[in-house]
Amino acid sequence: MNNEVLTKKTLRKMNMALEEYIPYLFRKIPGLSGVLSYRTKEHLRQPPERADMTPIVPGEHWGGEYENIWLSADVTVPEEADGKELYLFPDAEAVEYLLFVDGVPFGLVNSENGFLGGQHIAALVTGKAKAGETFKVDYECYSGHFCIGAQPYEAYGQDEPTPMADNCRTYKGLDLCTVNED
């Protein structure tokens, strides 16, 4: 027997619990050295050389239609993360993030779907970290572009697509985290 009212109530309660506990799923830890950045409209196939990069700090603006910013940092596993899963959380307000670990493509994340309140953008760097181990991490962050739509007649009557205002994004940080086991 399916009780639709009870099912809706239960799902609403589960969603409320998820929203309440999501901020506690991960714990930020130290281990990142200074983050560097490189801005470009080119679609690079590998991370740029660090000699071409400049330091970036939270609050710095970047972006524009079809623009990318590359973020680069060294991750050194702290003692408190020994034996644990290690995650990276980029927050540059990008539409897509492409992660490289030690120069190898490691994952692509589309941050627009809002799964788990955006917490899905956590990227697993290693399943069993070793204290003192170092990783070179690079993110290609894409600011986006205007897209009139994918369905027929969606823009019926529009002669020209309207570009995004300025597509300005803000770099908010790159965090190293472990799962909060509590």
Side-chain angles (χ1 to χ4, degrees), residues 11-23:
L11 288 173
R12 190 172 57 246
K13 285 181 181 182
M14 289 174 68
N15 282 329
M16 287 172 49
L18 270 176
E19 290 199 19
E20 182 70 28
Y21 292 113
I22 283 170

Side-chain angles (χ1 to χ4, degrees), residues 38 44-50 52-53 70-72 98-105 136-140:
Y38 178 81
L44 306 176
R45 301 294 180 236
Q46 289 291 318
E49 296 295 322
R50 284 194 172 170
D52 298 330
M53 300 180 121
W70 282 84
L71 304 174
S72 185
L98 174 59
L99 172 63
F100 286 77
V101 175
D102 293 330
V104 176
K136 178 184 182 280
V137 295
D138 295 281
Y139 270 105
E140 179 185 32

Side-chain angles (χ1 to χ4, degrees), residues 2 5 8 30 39 50 62 64 68 70 77 118-119 126-127 130:
N2 186 5
V5 172
K8 284 182 181 179
R39 295 161 193 192
R50 284 194 172 170
W62 70 281
N68 297 295
W70 282 84
V77 179
Q119 295 294 337
T126 182
K130 296 178 189 140

Side-chain angles (χ1 to χ4, degrees), residues 34-115:
V35 180
L36 301 172
S37 69
Y38 178 81
R39 295 161 193 192
T40 183
K41 281 193 174 189
E42 283 184 67
H43 293 290
L44 306 176
R45 301 294 180 236
Q46 289 291 318
E49 296 295 322
R50 284 194 172 170
D52 298 330
M53 300 180 121
T54 57
I56 188 168
V57 294
E60 197 168 316
H61 298 290
W62 70 281
E65 201 162 20
Y66 293 101
E67 288 195 12
N68 297 295
I69 188 169
W70 282 84
L71 304 174
S72 185
D74 289 324
V75 173
T76 302
V77 179
E79 197 65 44
E80 66 190 85
D82 189 57
K84 297 181 181 178
E85 293 179 340
L86 201 59
Y87 293 86
L88 272 176
F89 279 87
D91 191 353
E93 294 185 342
V95 174
E96 292 179 337
Y97 297 89
L98 174 59
L99 172 63
F100 286 77
V101 175
D102 293 330
V104 176
F106 215 72
L108 175 68
V109 178
N110 178 335
S111 64
E112 294 292 300
N113 68 21
F115 175 69

